[in-house]
Structure formats: structure tokens, C-alpha cells
């Protein structure tokens, strides 16, 4: 299928698909005319990329993760080192959430002090 069809089937823009190719996440065949030709399996690959992006992984992390995932629409790790990396990533997110919650609590304290003073 051509890039427009892959875009329609995945809901991902052609521009994003070209970017994924530039980053080595997708590897379509090229016709002599220069047109990209994608496989049906690329639909699932794009969905896995989107799930990983939504999970906060960067392109470099996704490039490392893709070979260690099942072919299902919901990515399932098959490499122990990937699971360890995902746990570290989740822990970093948890730390960032904790910091943001502390910041919000400090702001709430300042806001409530202003209301009591007023």
C-alpha cells in the first residue's frame, strides 16, 4: 500500500509516517518511481509506535523497543532488558509526578494564605 493508504488506516499523518521512516522506525520498500510501498504489517507497527509515544518514550527508545515487542496491537515486551528500561522510565515519570504534586501543594498553600489575608 502507498503512504496515503497507511495514513488512512492508522490515522497518522503522512508527514509523521515519513518522519518515522527517517528515524528508522518504518522501512517501506521503494519503487523505481520513488513511491513508498508499505506492508499490511506496517499498520500494526505504526500502532505500536503510537502506543509507545503515548507512553512517553522518545524516538530513540522506541527504535530500541520495537524489535522486542510482539506483533499484537498492544505491545508486549519479549526482552527482559526492555522491561527493565520501561520500569526505569515509569519510575522517572513517577518522580516527576511527585515533584509536580509537591509544587501544586506549595501553590495551594500560598493561594490559601492569600485568601486568609484578604
Amino acid at each position: 500500500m502507498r503512504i496515503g493508504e497507511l495514513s488512512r488506516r492508522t490515522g497518522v499523518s503522512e508527514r509523521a509516517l515519513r518522519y518515522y521512516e527517517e528515524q528508522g522506525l518504518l522501512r517501506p520498500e521503494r519503487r523505481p518511481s520513488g513511491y513508498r510501498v508499505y506492508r499490511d504489517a506496517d499498520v500494526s507497527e505504526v500502532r505500536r509506535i503510537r502506543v509507545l509515544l503515548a507512553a512517553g518514550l522518545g524516538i530513540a527508545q522506541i527504535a530500541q523497543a520495537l524489535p522486542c515487542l510482539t506483533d499484537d496491537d498492544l505491545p508486549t515486551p519479549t526482552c527482559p532488558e526492555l522491561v527493565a528500561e520501561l520500569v526505569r522510565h515509569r519510575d522517572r515519570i513517577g518522580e516527576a509526578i511527585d515533584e509536580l504534586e509537591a509544587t501544586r501543594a506549595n501553590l495551594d498553600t500560598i493561594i490559601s494564605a492569600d485568601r486568609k489575608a484578604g
Side-chain angles (χ1 to χ4, degrees), residues 78-92:
T78 59
C79 305
E81 61 273 11
L82 175 59
V83 174
E85 178 60 30
L86 293 175
V87 167
R88 285 191 294 275
H89 181 69
R90 184 201 55 206
D91 291 348
R92 284 190 299 272

Side-chain angles (χ1 to χ4, degrees), residues 30-91:
R30 289 287 190 143
R31 296 256 165 104
S33 62
Y35 287 114
R36 296 167 176 87
V37 178
Y38 294 91
R39 304 167 291 125
D40 286 334
D42 288 326
V43 173
S44 294
E45 191 79 346
V46 169
R47 288 185 181 138
R48 281 190 295 279
I49 292 166
R50 299 302 284 188
V51 167
L52 294 171
L53 283 169
L57 273 67
I59 294 296
Q61 291 171 303
I62 292 171
Q64 292 177 338
L66 285 175
C68 289
L69 296 173
T70 61
D71 287 338
D72 301 330
D73 284 339
L74 179 61
T76 304
T78 59
C79 305
E81 61 273 11
L82 175 59
V83 174
E85 178 60 30
L86 293 175
V87 167
R88 285 191 294 275
H89 181 69
R90 184 201 55 206
D91 291 348

Side-chain angles (χ1 to χ4, degrees), residues 1-12:
M1 81 185 85
R2 294 198 9 209
I3 195 167
E5 177 65 17
L6 182 62
S7 175
R8 281 187 289 284
R9 289 179 61 182
T10 61
V12 175

